[in-house]
Amino acid sequence: MKFNTAICSYLFFSLMIFNVLALTTSEFLPIFSQVFTLLTQNGRIYDIFSLIILISAILMLCINPIRIYRRKDIFGKTTSFMIFIFSCVILVVLIALLYWLWHKIFTYNTHTIAMREQVQVVTWQSYYVSVEFYISLTCWICLVVLPLLYKVLSLNLNIKHRIGRTLLILQPRLTTILIVMNANALHPYFSNLPSRYAHIIFFFIGAILLIYLLFYQSKLFHFYEYMNTILFSCMILCLVLCSESMLRSDFMNAQITLYMLGILSWCGEWVENRDNLYDKIT
């Protein structure tokens, strides 16, 4: 089993246990009813988790092109250069996210609780132009739908072409897909929030494609993929039972943590994909 897949799966498992414990405690133990609400406030533990994971992803993004360039004699200078350019673009985006997270954490004022209640009134305009929505949309398209469609349609990229080699190195694997799907699912669907429509669409399209893979492309699933799929199912059950606790909280901060973990997992998979492609070429 690849090192990155194992590490990110363990991190995902730990984070999911943390989420489930926080949600169920808040929902079913009145004395701890504010636990999840407190943890998800701006500048609290979920934002700290997101910051640490994002910094790790940025460091990995800086290292990966160098490691891939070492095999330029196999993959070609053009492929290595394309990956370098793509890495620079993603790096700029992640640095912008880092600034946004840093601002959330270190400018959070604990004396503005009354103002927070006003901010929590989410409208169509406030959500669909928010950073959270664009993170969700981008991760859903790039890290869930496109890679799942590639696997469902059993497409084969030409490894002799530089664009094909580049896409094969950059493609997200099932570990990343399942982490991002869990992030998309972390939403109170039985609410009147305007964001529920987007996340319901995200959930059903991703779930249909995943179920198809599970039945017709089961060879793609190994121990960690099955375990992450089980975690995904358990999380759905937990979210149905704990919708009230989520509505009382800034649950989107918990979502962002999972998205950041999905991005970290994806960046770490580039080298694994490089090794697989190297074995095919040689």
Side-chain angles (χ1 to χ4, degrees), residues 72-87:
K72 63 181 183 299
D73 54 327
I74 300 296
F75 302 119
K77 292 183 178 180
T78 304
T79 298
S80 300
F81 180 72
M82 291 173 67
I83 291 174
F84 173 76
I85 295 299
F86 184 81
S87 299

Side-chain angles (χ1 to χ4, degrees), residues 13-67:
F13 176 77
S14 301
L15 190 56
M16 292 302 295
I17 294 298
F18 184 82
N19 289 341
V20 169
L21 288 176
L23 278 169
T24 54
T25 300
S26 299
E27 187 74 21
F28 300 110
L29 297 178
I31 193 172
F32 297 113
S33 60
Q34 297 300 312
V35 167
F36 191 70
T37 301
L38 293 173
L39 291 175
T40 55
Q41 286 180 1
N42 290 340
R44 297 293 178 88
I45 190 66
Y46 278 106
D47 281 343
I48 300 295
F49 285 162
S50 297
L51 185 67
I52 294 172
I53 295 171
L54 183 57
I55 291 173
S56 301
I58 290 174
L59 293 175
M60 190 171 292
L61 196 62
C62 294
I63 295 172
N64 279 348
I66 300 174
R67 298 175 68 183

Side-chain angles (χ1 to χ4, degrees), residues 160-173:
K160 295 182 179 180
H161 195 278
R162 56 183 178 272
I163 295 179
R165 291 194 298 267
T166 302
L167 292 176
L168 284 171
I169 291 174
L170 298 178
Q171 68 169 329
R173 305 174 77 175

Side-chain angles (χ1 to χ4, degrees), residues 4 57 60-61 64 90 94 262-271:
N4 177 77
M60 190 171 292
L61 196 62
N64 279 348
I90 300 299
L94 295 190
I263 291 172
L264 174 64
S265 175
W266 175 52
C267 292
E269 288 170 349
W270 295 7
V271 175

Side-chain angles (χ1 to χ4, degrees), residues 37-270:
T37 301
L38 293 173
L39 291 175
T40 55
Q41 286 180 1
N42 290 340
R44 297 293 178 88
I45 190 66
Y46 278 106
D47 281 343
I48 300 295
F49 285 162
S50 297
L51 185 67
I52 294 172
I53 295 171
L54 183 57
I55 291 173
S56 301
I58 290 174
L59 293 175
M60 190 171 292
L61 196 62
C62 294
I63 295 172
N64 279 348
I66 300 174
R67 298 175 68 183
I68 294 172
Y69 186 76
R70 291 176 179 175
R71 296 288 179 88
K72 63 181 183 299
D73 54 327
I74 300 296
F75 302 119
K77 292 183 178 180
T78 304
T79 298
S80 300
F81 180 72
M82 291 173 67
I83 291 174
F84 173 76
I85 295 299
F86 184 81
S87 299
C88 291
V89 174
I90 300 299
L91 186 61
V92 171
V93 175
L94 295 190
I95 290 174
L97 285 177
L98 181 65
Y99 172 79
W100 173 69
L101 275 172
W102 189 274
H103 179 77
K104 281 181 65 180
I105 293 171
F106 294 100
T107 63
Y108 177 70
N109 188 347
T110 55
H111 299 289
T112 57
I113 302 301
M115 294 178 62
R116 282 186 70 257
E117 294 180 355
Q118 296 178 2
V119 174
Q120 281 186 326
V121 179
V122 181
T123 63
W124 281 92
Q125 293 80 6
S126 65
Y127 176 71
Y128 287 101
V129 298
S130 67
V131 175
E132 289 86 353
F133 171 71
Y134 286 108
I135 292 174
S136 298
L137 182 64
T138 303
C139 289
W140 176 68
I141 292 174
C142 298
L143 301 181
V144 176
V145 173
L146 292 180
L148 280 179
L149 282 175
Y150 170 77
K151 297 178 187 302
V152 166
L153 298 176
S154 300
L155 299 177
N156 290 314
L157 295 173
N158 185 4
I159 62 175
K160 295 182 179 180
H161 195 278
R162 56 183 178 272
I163 295 179
R165 291 194 298 267
T166 302
L167 292 176
L168 284 171
I169 291 174
L170 298 178
Q171 68 169 329
R173 305 174 77 175
L174 278 173
T175 298
T176 296
I177 293 170
L178 287 165
I179 292 173
V180 175
M181 286 183 66
N182 273 270
N184 282 329
L186 191 62
H187 192 280
Y189 296 109
F190 305 106
S191 66
N192 59 354
L193 296 176
S195 56
R196 74 184 185 276
Y197 298 108
H199 284 275
I200 287 174
I201 293 173
F202 295 165
F203 172 77
F204 276 106
I205 293 179
I208 290 170
L209 293 174
L210 181 66
I211 291 171
Y212 180 90
L213 274 185
L214 193 60
F215 282 98
Y216 296 101
Q217 299 282 348
S218 58
K219 62 182 179 180
L220 298 175
F221 289 78
H222 302 93
F223 174 76
Y224 286 102
E225 286 76 16
Y226 279 116
M227 287 302 300
N228 292 336
T229 304
I230 292 172
L231 284 176
F232 177 54
S233 303
C234 293
M235 191 62 196
I236 296 300
L237 177 61
C238 179
L239 295 177
V240 171
L241 297 175
C242 303
S243 294
E244 290 297 324
S245 295
M246 293 190 68
L247 281 172
R248 295 195 300 264
S249 67
D250 296 322
F251 61 89
M252 289 182 186
N253 289 332
Q255 276 188 327
I256 296 300
T257 302
L258 283 171
Y259 283 128
M260 296 302 105
L261 181 58
I263 291 172
L264 174 64
S265 175
W266 175 52
C267 292
E269 288 170 349
W270 295 7

